[in-house]
Amino acid sequence: MFNLIIFGPPGAGKGTQSAMLLEKYELVHLSTGDVFRANIKGETELGVLAKSYIDKGELVPDEVTIAMVEDFLKNQEDANGFIFDGFPRTLSQGEALDNIIRSIDSQIDVVLALEVEEDELVKRLLERGKASGRADDQDEATIRNRFAEYNNKTEPLLGYYDQQGKLKRVAGMGQIEEIFDRLCKAVDAVR
Ligand code: C5P
Ligand code: MG
């Protein structure tokens, strides 16, 4: 199995690049944001709970998100490996993921951290909000709150993975294709 984490602030291009990576490396995509949004659409209990956080740009509590990931992975026994997109977002989630992945005799192989300037992130999110209708991409105060959550709770994971020797920083500015090439080089170096 080959497992990678695509890491970065909101608007860094995690979803866009995941779609290309999963095809090239034949991996299963787990976007926790997408799973939450599907639950919101389906008006499930999880969806109602998640919406109350997502609409404010806050993180859903760890235990809820971790249980959801465990549930997803349980039904994926034939996978070659996974792309984790939007998870982990806290140190607790990172530690939980290590335990989960160890329990299936596997490991996180690489963490690809997309680096993008904040002005560019805001621009991309507002653009995406127009096209997708995502409420959390349309309101600048919510976007700012998501950055604050990222800086306070998610960014510490960079040190966590750096210490494990798994962190690769990748420039996330420029054309989608050239960013993809940089990511592939980083993957191929460890694969
Ligand atoms: O990953 P994505 O940007 O799609 O996530 C959208 C929202 O979903 C986040 O702003 C957050 O409210 C919620 N989320 C979360 N915990 C995660 C992933 C997403 O709370 N691990
Ligand atoms: Mg995304």
Side-chain angles (χ1 to χ4, degrees):
M1 261 189 143
F2 184 82
N3 301 301
L4 69 86
I5 295 172
I6 187 126
F7 194 90
K14 301 185 294 295
T16 302
Q17 296 294 334
S18 290
M20 297 161 78
L21 289 166
L22 72 91
E23 207 171 306
K24 174 159 175 164
Y25 296 105
E26 299 183 327
L27 302 170
V28 173
H29 186 206
L30 171 53
S31 161
T32 40
D34 287 352
V35 178
F36 284 135
R37 283 183 289 275
N39 275 277
I40 291 171
K41 212 169 168 197
E43 297 178 350
T44 68
E45 204 177 312
L46 173 64
V48 173
L49 179 78
K51 189 176 182 338
S52 66
Y53 293 93
I54 291 174
D55 283 352
K56 291 182 275 185
E58 291 173 7
L59 292 186
V60 177
D62 284 334
E63 54 277 18
V64 175
T65 305
I66 291 165
M68 182 177 88
V69 170
E70 278 177 319
D71 197 53
F72 178 93
L73 293 177
K74 244 190 297 180
N75 303 309
Q76 297 286 342
E77 275 143 16
D78 299 330
N80 273 330
F82 297 95
I83 299 182
F84 295 96
D85 162 4
F87 183 89
R89 258 188 165 92
T90 64
L91 276 174
S92 301
Q93 291 178 18
E95 286 161 3
L97 180 59
D98 279 343
N99 290 330
I100 297 167
I101 211 96
R102 202 177 302 124
S103 77
I104 55 170
D105 291 325
S106 195
Q107 70 293 312
I108 298 297
D109 292 285
V110 66
V111 178
L112 305 169
L114 287 167
E115 299 188 311
V116 179
E117 290 159 18
E118 187 160 314
D119 288 349
E120 170 72 12
L121 295 172
V122 175
K123 204 178 99 197
R124 288 186 192 175
L125 291 170
L126 292 170
E127 279 297 313
R128 184 172 72 184
K130 278 187 226 155
S132 72
R134 266 182 69 169
D136 62 341
D137 285 343
Q138 294 182 40
D139 174 47
E140 207 158 329
T142 308
I143 290 174
R144 295 284 168 202
N145 204 32
R146 287 159 68 198
F147 289 155
E149 289 280 74
Y150 175 81
N151 291 330
N152 295 331
K153 299 178 182 167
T154 307
E155 210 170 33
L157 279 163
L158 288 173
Y160 179 76
Y161 289 115
D162 200 15
Q163 270 173 11
Q164 296 182 21
K166 292 178 179 169
L167 184 68
K168 301 249 186 183
R169 297 175 186 271
V170 177
M173 303 281 287
Q175 298 296 314
I176 289 174
E177 282 293 341
E178 67 189 13
I179 299 165
F180 180 61
D181 284 344
R182 289 179 205 133
L183 292 170
C184 291
K185 285 205 182 81
V187 171
D188 293 339
V190 294
R191 210 164 150 263

